[in-house]
Amino acid sequence: MVTAEELAYGMERESVAKGPLEIFEGGGQVVTDRDDRQTVGEPFVDNPRVSARNVNVYYDEKHAIHDVSLDLGENEVLAMIGPSGCGKSTFLRCLNRMNDTVASCRVTGKINFDGEDINSPKIDVVPLRAQVGMVFQKPNPFPKSIYENIAFGARIHGLARHRYELDEIVEGSLQRAGLWDEVKDRLEQPGTGLSGGQQQRLCIARTIAVSPEVILMDEPCSALDPIATAKIEELIDELRKQFTIAIVTHSMQQAARVSQRTAYFHLGDLIEAGDTKTVFTTPRHRLTEDYITGRFG
Amino acid sequence: MQSTTLIVVLLALSAAGFYMGRRKAFQVSGNDIRTLNSLPSYYGYYTAMWCGIPALIVFSLWSMLDGRAIMAMATSSIADSGVSAQEMSLVYSEVLRFVSGSTIGEPQPHIVEAVARYRELQDTSNAALIVIVLSIAIAGTAFALGKIRRDQRVRNSVEAGVMVFLIACSTIAIFTTIGIVLSVLFESIRFFQKVSFTDFIFGLEWSPQTAIRSDQVGSTGAFGAIPLFAGTLLISFIAMVVAAPIGLMSAIYLAEYASARLRSYAKPLLEILAGIPTVVYGFFAALVVAPFFRNTGGLIGLDVSSESALAAGLVMGIMVIPFISSLSDDVITAVPQALRDGALGLGATQSETIRRVVIPAALPGIVGGMLLAVSRAIGETMIVVMAAGLSANLTANPLEAVTTVTVQIVTLLVGDQEFDSAKTLAAFALGLMLFLSTLVLNVIALHVVRKYREQYE
């Protein structure tokens, strides 16, 4: 649920220009020592969409994620930040079982999506991935036309019985991704011919075309220039009204701009989670403070 | 023998030139090689190139031309005595035979004289060649050494030399191809002077026996190539019907489903198929597969001849499986994982991902592999010689014996043949047609692949 405070914060954000960390002022009270790896803050929310409990991930013998418990609330953007190799992408990929494609990867713990354990043998991974969509770090449009890129998901899930229904899905998705006006005259041209930012918005449109409930974004802007990044950030803010979004990012400014809650990962541990404003202005863990003040990262 | 020694000496001189050039470079740099324009070894290569290359060029030109010049000089007295050009070529070959000592019998006096003169001139020429080549080598070395200065841009010269060498290599390959095509073309033109082009292209009957003596009966010869091309197409078609699905499916399994461990064993095993000599496939087809088909056909009341297109095509299909599977496996593996993740992330199943994303992305490479297999099948000879038979039937029935273009080329040229009869020359015409049809096939395929690429990349 969105708290009143979050709403107020969101409004405040609207009014302030999209600066980096300056939107938050005031110093924090650091309470937890560097060596303590217990999660501090508020990793849990009321009525979560996705809730992960005691998730451990192993690549062969390597223990990549240690006992992470974190909730993803309805219609919120959760940003996951942390230095490279801290396990934030791995955790994200657990949420729609994309780690199944990595042969050496083993996941333990419980991840509930709408109250059901997604790792249970009863769950079919195909509808799960349709409900929990994913946008990847590098734009990966299929080598097909723009139209076919969007229609792909609708076709494999049988969402449209007639051509006009498919047309509606394609147009609607492109419009929600803010790409319609740029590509409406060249839907038959290859999606790979678009610019990087357009390709990424195409991938987002492709994801929302199958009407997911949760969208996972793995550093969606890291391959893009600042203007394309700004467009995607606007889009994320817009999409929050309909979807629940988890975004991994290397840019703290981006996390501060687009998210309502932030989770800070460090070497496979979830160090701190909570309201974005709180995490950035009054971090409770020494490591979080070190990271957001740029002492390492 | 003598030229081999000369070349070895030249190489040794070039090696010496390399060290001299490098040492000179050290000297002019005052032992600080940073002041040089290029690394010292480049000065070495520069000197070695000036030593070896001009000398080698002179050497090869000389060797190419001296035989003819010496012959002309040795026989000039005979030529002056008013002998016709045709007789002169006889004189040339006779002189050559005596020089190499491969003839018994008493030569005519004017030949003896020419032979003696020829030997004398050859000795002079060889001596002159050694002197000239070695002095060019030494002069080149001296010239290069003299030019070595600090700011001499030898790196550029050496790189240019390397480029010229590479161009020469590719030119050799291209000109060899052109040469082969031209020789086939000229022989084919000779064939078409004897047999009309339309009879060859559109003729429905192939029976290449021509009369050797005028009183021979019943061998008028018919050179209609249609049955041969029909047979080739039939067998290649059967081969591709066998190989394309099996090869592609096994490639998909290997690339997408098999574990890395299984793949590391299965792929080389599959590639062993490509290493089996075609003659082994041939007798496998002739002694195992063809009789099996004949017997099975007999059981169900079909009349299968003991040499059938089906047997040859089937075995040929098995032979080309590795071409398709191995190449397709490579291109499928090369499709970026990001594309698979994208499709899986949208909730596509593995087979949907493969069918709708991976295979379309890999299609140009897969088509390439298929075409390689087709051209292998069209050009394949040994299996068809053994298993498909020699009778040029014009039929679409795979249970009958057919023959192919390559098989007929083999039978036309095996054994003692006269090289001006239509029968022998027909082999060249067939070869030309085969070459042209593969060429057209490749051009079409390239076009298709390029069109596909433009659309999607």
Side-chain angles (χ1 to χ4, degrees):
Chain A
M1 290 303 293
V2 185
T3 63
E5 196 189 70
E6 277 170 340
L7 277 177
Y9 158 61
M11 271 148 53
E12 176 200 24
R13 241 191 84 248
E14 294 284 303
S15 59
V16 181
K18 286 197 169 60
L21 291 175
E22 293 89 74
I23 26 178
F24 307 114
E25 276 165 26
Q29 280 187 323
V30 176
V31 290
T32 313
D33 200 66
R34 282 196 183 89
D35 294 329
D36 193 346
R37 296 294 163 84
Q38 279 300 315
T39 307
V40 297
E42 295 107 32
F44 308 128
V45 297
D46 301 333
N47 301 322
R49 240 27 253 281
V50 178
S51 71
R53 292 292 180 274
N54 309 102
V55 172
N56 283 279
V57 179
Y58 305 85
Y59 290 112
D60 287 328
E61 294 308 303
K62 189 174 172 283
H63 196 172
I65 288 185
H66 316 137
D67 229 23
V68 168
S69 298
L70 184 63
D71 278 351
L72 190 50
E74 177 101 43
N75 292 75
E76 72 169 10
V77 177
L78 170 72
M80 305 187 193
I81 58 170
S84 296
C86 66
K88 50 197 191 307
S89 288
T90 300
F91 180 72
L92 190 79
R93 289 168 66 94
C94 290
L95 300 182
N96 68 344
R97 286 182 50 187
M98 276 310 278
N99 282 331
D100 289 10
T101 60
V102 183
S104 61
C105 184
R106 195 159 55 84
V107 181
T108 67
K110 214 170 160 87
I111 299 172
N112 281 348
F113 172 61
D114 285 345
E116 273 191 285
D117 183 5
I118 64 165
N119 286 315
S120 104
K122 277 191 295 179
I123 290 287
D124 185 1
V125 71
V126 166
L128 170 74
R129 287 186 188 145
Q131 285 173 305
V132 185
M134 188 154 198
V135 176
F136 295 86
Q137 180 172 5
K138 218 176 133 232
N140 57 349
F142 302 129
K144 300 175 184 292
S145 69
I146 294 171
Y147 186 95
E148 285 300 321
N149 261 284
I150 309 293
F152 181 87
R155 282 193 208 274
I156 58 173
H157 295 298
L159 299 183
R161 257 184 297 163
H162 302 288
R163 178 77 188 190
Y164 68 87
E165 287 176 336
L166 201 57
D167 290 346
E168 278 170 17
I169 289 174
V170 170
E171 180 175 346
S173 311
L174 283 170
Q175 260 166 353
R176 278 149 89 193
L179 196 60
W180 175 251
D181 290 333
E182 290 162 61
V183 300
K184 65 181 175 204
D185 299 325
R186 45 172 176 155
L187 291 176
E188 296 313 315
Q189 284 177 23
T192 41
L194 297 173
S195 73
Q198 288 174 326
Q199 286 190 12
Q200 195 62 294
R201 278 181 285 149
L202 182 69
C203 292
I204 293 174
R206 186 174 76 182
T207 306
I208 58 187
V210 294
S211 319
E213 289 161 42
V214 178
I215 301 177
L216 310 175
M217 297 187 175
D218 190 358
E219 297 179 38
C221 301
S222 64
L224 305 181
D225 66 53
I227 292 171
T229 302
K231 280 198 176 143
I232 302 243
E233 286 178 4
E234 273 171 40
L235 176 59
I236 291 171
D237 209 47
E238 188 64 31
L239 293 175
R240 179 166 69 89
K241 294 170 189 160
Q242 287 157 330
F243 306 101
T244 301
I245 296 171
I247 176 172
V248 165
T249 176
H250 267 294
S251 153
M252 282 175 282
Q253 290 90 331
Q254 183 169 67
R257 284 192 298 259
V258 301
S259 72
Q260 284 74 55
R261 287 174 67 241
T262 295
Y264 172 67
F265 285 74
H266 185 86
L267 298 178
D269 290 297
L270 175 59
I271 298 296
E272 180 163 353
D275 183 68
T276 297
K277 190 174 179 183
T278 317
V279 170
F280 275 100
T281 52
T282 55
R284 267 167 279 188
H285 199 292
R286 181 87 59 189
L287 283 167
T288 317
E289 194 200 26
D290 287 354
Y291 184 70
I292 62 173
T293 54
R295 215 160 292 168
F296 63 83
Chain B
M1 193 58 225
Q2 193 203 14
S3 12
T4 323
T5 323
L6 191 57
I7 286 177
V8 170
V9 171
L10 259 186
L11 288 179
L13 275 179
S14 298
F18 174 80
Y19 286 106
M20 280 152 71
R22 205 168 59 161
R23 213 181 54 194
K24 179 81 187 288
F26 274 118
Q27 278 169 6
V28 297
S29 72
N31 275 334
D32 182 8
I33 60 166
R34 277 174 304 172
T35 62
L36 289 172
N37 171 274
S38 315
L39 285 174
S41 60
Y42 275 101
Y43 290 87
Y45 290 125
Y46 180 73
T47 319
M49 278 161 73
W50 267 109
C51 168
I53 292 171
L56 268 180
I57 291 173
V58 169
F59 173 75
S60 40
L61 283 180
W62 188 290
S63 314
M64 260 191 276
L65 300 175
D66 77 332
R68 212 166 292 172
I70 290 171
M71 181 60 81
M73 281 196 268
T75 55
S76 60
S77 57
I78 305 175
D80 289 343
S81 62
V83 186
S84 74
Q86 251 178 342
E87 281 171 317
M88 267 323 279
S89 71
L90 276 180
V91 169
Y92 287 161
S93 51
E94 211 171 336
V95 170
L96 273 183
R97 274 209 301 281
F98 277 102
V99 168
S100 60
S102 62
T103 279
I104 32 174
E106 261 327 283
Q108 290 164 288
H110 67 280
I111 298 284
V112 176
E113 190 193 326
V115 166
R117 208 165 142 57
Y118 185 93
R119 289 208 168 115
E120 189 184 315
L121 281 167
Q122 203 174 32
D123 288 344
T124 322
S125 155
N126 286 342
L129 175 64
I130 293 174
V131 172
I132 290 174
V133 165
L134 290 185
S135 26
I136 287 177
I138 290 164
T141 314
F143 172 74
L145 285 176
K147 277 189 79 164
I148 288 178
R149 275 178 212 86
R150 266 185 204 182
D151 54 351
Q152 175 75 9
R153 294 209 211 162
V154 292
R155 198 185 327 111
N156 305 26
S157 317
V158 172
E159 300 285 353
V162 169
M163 191 188 72
V164 169
F165 177 71
L166 296 179
I167 290 176
C169 287
S170 51
T171 317
I172 288 174
I174 292 167
F175 276 94
T176 313
T177 316
I178 293 176
I180 291 174
V181 172
L182 285 184
S183 83
V184 172
L185 185 67
F186 287 134
E187 298 295 332
S188 307
I189 289 172
R190 282 178 66 196
F191 171 74
F192 289 127
Q193 283 162 356
K194 294 175 192 285
V195 176
S196 95
F197 184 69
T198 45
D199 283 357
F200 178 72
I201 294 288
F202 300 112
L204 297 181
E205 201 182 327
W206 176 264
S207 155
Q209 302 309 321
T210 45
I212 297 174
R213 301 185 313 274
S214 50
D215 57 339
Q216 251 181 339
V217 206
S219 302
T220 45
F223 294 95
I226 296 252
L228 306 188
F229 280 95
T232 305
L233 287 181
L234 178 63
I235 288 181
S236 305
F237 177 74
I238 295 171
M240 290 314 288
V241 164
V242 172
I246 296 181
L248 186 56
M249 301 295 162
S250 57
I252 291 173
Y253 172 72
L254 283 181
E256 297 286 329
Y257 293 95
S259 67
R261 202 178 137 77
L262 178 68
R263 188 165 181 261
S264 69
Y265 287 108
K267 208 182 169 198
L269 275 178
L270 203 62
E271 279 163 2
I272 286 180
L273 276 181
I276 299 177
T278 56
V279 69
V280 176
Y281 278 113
F283 63 70
F284 176 66
L287 301 182
V288 181
V289 180
F292 171 76
F293 280 142
R294 192 190 51 210
N295 297 339
T296 322
L299 286 179
I300 57 171
L302 280 174
D303 189 18
V304 185
S305 71
S306 45
E307 291 174 320
S308 65
L310 186 60
L314 185 77
V315 173
M316 197 191 276
I318 289 168
M319 182 194 79
V320 297
I321 283 174
F323 286 92
I324 297 177
S325 72
S326 192
L327 275 167
S328 306
D329 175 62
D330 288 344
V331 292
I332 291 174
T333 317
V335 171
Q337 183 63 32
L339 285 185
R340 293 190 187 91
D341 283 350
L344 292 172
L346 287 172
T349 63
Q350 195 171 7
S351 76
E352 282 167 343
T353 307
I354 293 168
R355 265 186 296 127
R356 291 171 179 259
V357 176
V358 178
I359 297 296
L363 203 58
I366 293 174
V367 171
M370 298 270 178
L371 283 167
L372 190 67
V374 170
S375 49
R376 257 318 281 261
I378 289 181
E380 173 50 40
T381 317
M382 226 45 228
I383 295 175
V384 250
V385 167
M386 293 192 186
L390 293 173
S391 52
N393 289 328
L394 183 55
T395 175
N397 180 359
L399 304 178
E400 278 183 46
V402 295
T403 192
T404 68
V405 178
T406 49
V407 169
Q408 286 308 312
I409 294 178
V410 169
T411 47
L412 289 175
L413 293 182
V414 164
D416 288 341
Q417 304 287 355
E418 33 175 359
F419 257 80
D420 54 352
S421 80
K423 183 188 167 192
T424 329
L425 291 173
F428 290 96
L430 285 177
L432 183 70
M433 296 312 294
L434 197 61
F435 169 74
L436 285 181
S437 43
T438 352
L439 190 70
V440 168
L441 200 70
N442 284 356
V443 169
I444 293 172
L446 272 179
H447 185 73
V448 169
V449 168
R450 194 175 304 143
K451 199 173 168 198
Y452 180 91
R453 285 222 170 115
E454 278 168 1
Q455 202 176 342
Y456 287 141
E457 273 176 26

